[in-house]
Amino acid sequence: MTADNARPSRVGDPLPISLVAHQVFCPRRAWIEAAGERTDSYQMAVGTALHGSTDDPATARPSNLRPVDVVDEDLGIVGRCDTVEVGPGGALTVVEYKATPVRREPEVTEPLRIQLALQVAALRSMGHSVDGQAVYFVNHRLRVPVVLGADDVEAARLAVAATRATVDAPTAPAPLEDDPRCRSCSHAGVCLPEERAEAPVGRRIVVADPDSQVVHLATAGSRASIRAGRILVHAGGEEIASLPIERVQGLVVHGNVDLSGALIREILWRSLTIVWCTGTGRVVGWCVPGSGPNGAARVQQHVASVAGRLDLAREFVGAKIANQATLLRRNGDAANAVAVMRQLQRRAAAAQTMTELLGLEGEAAANYFAAFPTMLSARSRALGFEFRVRSGRPAGDAINAALNYVYGILLGDVIRAVVACGLDPHAGYLHSANRNKPALALDLCEELRAPVADSVVLGAINNGELAPGDFTSVLGTTRLRENGRKVLIAAYERRVQGTFRHPVFDYQVTWRRAMEVQARMVLGVLDGSQARYAGIRVR
Ligand code: SF4
């Protein structure tokens, strides 16, 4: 998309004052906010709680108005003042509340001055007299009066114009480089400033929600509902699980499990995702929040998917072959197959057509699965586990049934990561959309299959967690029993919550977080802020 055919915001669309403040802090942050990304931080959580208390008329003194909605049609802005104090003569003082951590100096920053200047300008344009403004630092219990001059008013006008230009630009502004602002930025987890530079990350930027988890509902016949902020799971009249919804970053429903309408609504309200799978791990669907971010990038994703992106496809295949070869080298006895796969990996990086690339991927898969039995332990073979040929659904043996199941869980997890970025799981670059499958999610799964899914299955079989009795066979097809599914879900969760050193960015990251980092790299390529996609290649 070029600047000429980009669709600017409509003249009548007012800009939120908070968006202008983001622009003054960092134009990229304004872009991210305008794209609808949800971010989370300590300050924002405290701020939300504060707004909750200021929104309660019962706790407001008569001389304090809280909150107050403001608009300035000439400037084209709307906003909300935390508190407006009414003086004896009727003149107003605007007070902004700020939750700066106590360890930091309370400071009236430039974005705060601009925010106050715009709130005052809006109140004046509405016919009110304003004779003061201040910032109240809640954690420090400190009120700091702010004096605004003509310079601030002019700076605020320029900031509004700059914000409109940022929001209307066809591509995202580049991230700041080695800038202290990024260290305290609530948007670092979705902006990924150092990852965008594709350099080893020297100073780790802490991202949001490190403690939240994906919840798997896998007990057949159970029902999950929500009450008093907790997800409750009942089966046979008993409560079998209970956890706070704040700790949840997504739900995966396996087989015959019922969800209450209130729980589904709450999950969507929180912009989270639910993925439904069959008892064999096949993903049957998911729900997407209506307010997903990055609508413009999603359009670019579809355009690029139709046009084709061989560069992305090469990376997906190259990283997949590299990781298969590494797993084989570490756990198997197949030096020849590993050597052949390393050659195929190099040829994939230089493939000139999709047909050539898909041929190389198929050749590598044939080598990998031919050598797969060498990764089984003597103990597992003695128990009767064997692997002859890779088969999808229906599975021809226990190992294929386990692989199919974990591939399904992995796909559900990657779909959740893709949806969290606002991308469409269906528009991909390696897999075809013609098969009506979630092509982009399948693309991103490729580099994760060996180090996550295959590794989980091999571990569960080789260390005896899975036994032949965890499977059932009917007329030559094999399925997992409920206990086998639970063993694999637990092993999968241990794996994706474990950390590894990201080979491109050189920091410790969980496999689950890495799924979103990789999806956000695709997003960066699409919105113009990432030069290229780099797949994970484990060493
Ligand atoms: S992390 Fe840095 S570059 Fe990204 S939005 Fe925040 S301040 Fe801007």
Side-chain angles (χ1 to χ4, degrees), residues 99 106 128 142 169 226 232 243 259 270 274 284 333 379 416 437 456 471 482 489 493 534:
H128 302 294
L142 177 70
I226 183 161
L232 306 177
L243 77 163
L259 302 187
R270 290 168 180 267
I274 306 172
V284 289
D333 181 13
R379 169 183 163 178
R416 184 195 50 72
K437 290 188 172 172
V456 162
F471 299 85
E482 182 165 330
I489 290 170
E493 279 300 308

Side-chain angles (χ1 to χ4, degrees), residues 182-206:
C182 298
R183 266 171 261 163
S184 60
C185 179
S186 54
H187 295 53
V190 296
C191 167
L192 306 180
E194 291 174 316
E195 287 89 339
R196 299 266 181 249
E198 222 187 288
V201 180
R203 187 185 49 254
R204 180 76 205 284
I205 289 173
V206 178

Side-chain angles (χ1 to χ4, degrees), residues 25-26 28-29 32 174-176 181-182 185 187-188 191-193 205:
F25 182 81
C26 166
R28 183 169 169 82
R29 184 152 126 172
I32 289 170
L176 303 174
R181 277 172 285 180
C182 298
C185 179
H187 295 53
C191 167
L192 306 180
I205 289 173

Side-chain angles (χ1 to χ4, degrees), residues 45-375:
V46 174
T48 305
L50 277 173
H51 282 111
S53 64
T54 57
D55 284 355
D56 182 0
T59 62
R61 279 184 278 145
S63 57
N64 288 356
L65 307 171
R66 49 168 79 158
V68 177
D69 292 326
V70 295
V71 58
D72 184 330
E73 287 177 4
D74 289 340
L75 270 176
I77 52 169
V78 290
R80 174 170 282 192
C81 305
D82 287 340
T83 297
V84 175
E85 296 172 353
V86 185
L92 308 177
T93 298
V94 178
V95 183
E96 190 61 22
Y97 282 60
K98 191 86 181 113
T100 302
V102 210
R103 65 177 185 283
R104 293 219 322 253
E105 282 287 303
E107 183 194 359
V108 180
T109 57
E110 182 64 7
L112 258 178
R113 293 185 73 84
I114 297 288
Q115 188 171 348
L116 283 168
L118 291 174
Q119 288 168 342
V120 170
L123 280 166
R124 286 184 176 142
S125 81
M126 293 161 72
H128 302 294
S129 168
V130 182
D131 69 356
Q133 45 279 319
V135 177
Y136 183 70
F137 292 94
V138 187
N139 295 332
H140 298 75
R141 298 173 186 267
L142 177 70
R143 179 183 172 115
V144 178
V146 179
V147 178
L148 296 174
D151 286 358
D152 294 298
V153 175
E154 183 54 19
R157 285 182 184 279
L158 292 173
V160 172
T163 307
R164 203 168 281 285
T166 295
V167 171
D168 289 346
T171 55
L176 303 174
E177 274 182 41
D178 196 20
D179 192 292
R181 277 172 285 180
C182 298
R183 266 171 261 163
S184 60
C185 179
S186 54
H187 295 53
V190 296
C191 167
L192 306 180
E194 291 174 316
E195 287 89 339
R196 299 266 181 249
E198 222 187 288
V201 180
R203 187 185 49 254
R204 180 76 205 284
I205 289 173
V206 178
V207 298
D209 69 27
D211 295 329
S212 59
Q213 54 186 288
V214 170
V215 175
H216 295 265
L217 301 168
T219 301
S222 62
R223 183 170 199 274
S225 57
I226 183 161
R227 185 156 15 107
R230 296 185 75 83
I231 296 180
L232 306 177
V233 186
H234 287 87
E238 299 278 317
E239 181 181 300
I240 58 171
S242 165
L243 77 163
I245 193 153
E246 277 79 22
R247 299 282 307 278
V248 173
Q249 60 172 290
L251 290 184
V252 183
V253 183
H254 300 258
N256 180 25
V257 178
D258 196 19
L259 302 187
S260 77
L263 176 59
I264 295 172
R265 190 173 61 240
E266 183 66 25
I267 291 285
L268 290 173
W269 181 254
R270 290 168 180 267
S271 287
L272 303 176
T273 308
I274 306 172
V275 177
W276 281 268
C277 303
T278 65
T280 58
R282 184 193 293 273
V283 173
V284 289
W286 57 90
C287 62
V288 179
S291 57
N294 297 314
R298 200 155 54 246
V299 173
Q300 290 165 326
Q301 177 195 355
H302 283 263
V303 172
S305 178
V306 172
R309 288 292 299 252
L310 188 58
D311 56 333
L312 288 171
R314 277 197 211 109
E315 266 304 293
F316 297 138
V317 172
K320 172 186 182 177
I321 299 175
N323 292 341
Q324 287 174 328
T326 300
L327 193 71
L328 212 45
R329 174 178 57 77
R330 282 188 192 160
N331 303 291
D333 181 13
N336 284 346
V338 171
V340 170
M341 291 172 74
R342 294 294 182 205
Q343 281 177 7
L344 292 168
Q345 175 192 337
R346 282 190 285 277
R347 287 170 59 196
Q352 295 302 306
T353 65
M354 278 300 291
T355 307
E356 180 188 356
L357 186 63
L358 292 173
L360 294 167
E361 183 193 21
E363 207 178 321
N367 274 276
Y368 174 68
F369 283 113
F372 196 90
T374 68
M375 293 192 281

Side-chain angles (χ1 to χ4, degrees), residues 29 31-40 44 187 190-191 196 291-294 419-422 516 520 523 527:
R29 184 152 126 172
W31 165 279
I32 289 170
E33 272 288 315
E37 291 278 15
R38 278 174 66 99
T39 55
D40 207 0
M44 290 173 73
H187 295 53
V190 296
C191 167
R196 299 266 181 249
S291 57
N294 297 314
V419 169
C421 306
E516 191 172 330
R520 287 194 179 280
L523 175 69
D527 74 15

